[in-house]
């Protein structure tokens, strides 16, 4: 699985990603504290933070996915899904809240509307999706 996650990182390098200073600090800490439990995801998230352009929150466009963003994406087979990107303690797949500490969660952070990304699901399937729309988080989302 580690090589599949590394391939995700390689493919994502095609896109410039942007994260807020607050998301950067919280996500880096979360990834570092998760290295023992979830090494592959934690390493991928740390790699994303290493390459991200860190910007003040006031300069992050509403179309960039950040923690708490509501994201609509279209999969390669045409299925459209809407999810909210959250911290692990608030994750609930039945409610459409996906954790940043999942392959798809780590793949979403910092992307913007119109970008596409390929990733590997936990069961090893290769998936691809396009970001259709991003709704900025409400102030109480984080």
């Amino acid at each position: 699985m580690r090589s599949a996650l590394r391939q995700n990182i390689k493919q994502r390098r095609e896109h410039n990603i942007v994260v807020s200073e607050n998301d950067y600090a919280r996500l880096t800490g979360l990834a570092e504290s998760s290295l023992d439990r979830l090494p592959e995801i934690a390493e991928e998230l740390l790699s994303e933070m290493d390459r991200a352009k860190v910007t003040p929150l006031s300069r992050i466009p509403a179309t960039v996915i950040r923690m708490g963003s509501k994201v609509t994406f279209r999969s390669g087979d045409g299925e459209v899904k809407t999810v909210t990107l959250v911290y692990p303690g608030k994750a609930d797949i039945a409610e459409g809240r996906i954790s940043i500490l999942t392959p798809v969660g780590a793949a979403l952070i910092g992307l913007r509307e119109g970008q596409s990304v390929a990733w590997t699901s936990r069961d090893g399937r290769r998936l691809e999706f396009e970001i259709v729309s991003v709704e900025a988080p409400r102030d109480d989302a984080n």
Side-chain angles (χ1 to χ4, degrees):
M1 182 168 194
R2 188 176 298 259
S3 64
L5 290 172
R6 295 235 182 269
Q7 185 64 26
N8 283 350
I9 293 167
K10 184 178 178 185
Q11 287 188 346
R12 288 210 55 214
R13 291 195 192 284
E14 301 169 5
H15 299 301
N16 294 322
I17 63 170
V18 178
V19 296
S20 71
E21 295 163 328
N22 185 48
D23 279 352
Y24 176 83
R26 288 185 72 185
L27 293 175
T28 299
L30 176 64
E32 288 172 348
S33 69
S34 301
L35 280 168
D36 288 339
R37 286 182 303 114
L38 302 164
E40 294 88 2
I41 298 295
E43 288 175 12
E44 183 171 359
L45 187 55
L46 283 171
S47 178
E48 292 302 290
M49 293 300 100
D50 284 346
R51 73 182 195 86
K53 179 180 179 185
V54 182
T55 305
L57 180 59
S58 62
R59 297 190 53 196
I60 301 285
T63 58
V64 170
I65 301 169
R66 55 191 180 100
M67 295 307 298
S69 291
K70 184 181 255 186
V71 182
T72 301
F73 59 88
R74 181 179 304 108
S75 64
D77 64 4
E79 183 179 2
V80 176
K81 291 184 181 180
T82 300
V83 298
T84 302
L85 186 60
V86 298
Y87 290 96
K90 294 185 177 186
D92 182 342
I93 198 68
E95 297 287 326
R97 294 189 307 262
I98 61 165
S99 171
I100 186 68
L101 289 180
T102 61
V104 68
L108 286 172
I109 192 73
L111 292 176
R112 64 181 71 225
E113 286 179 9
Q115 289 183 321
S116 296
V117 66
W119 59 284
T120 303
S121 66
R122 286 188 171 161
D123 64 5
R125 290 179 299 138
R126 192 85 182 131
L127 304 169
E128 186 173 337
F129 56 77
E130 176 188 357
I131 308 302
V132 175
S133 67
V134 176
E135 184 179 316
R138 298 185 322 262
D139 289 337
D140 64 348
N142 291 313

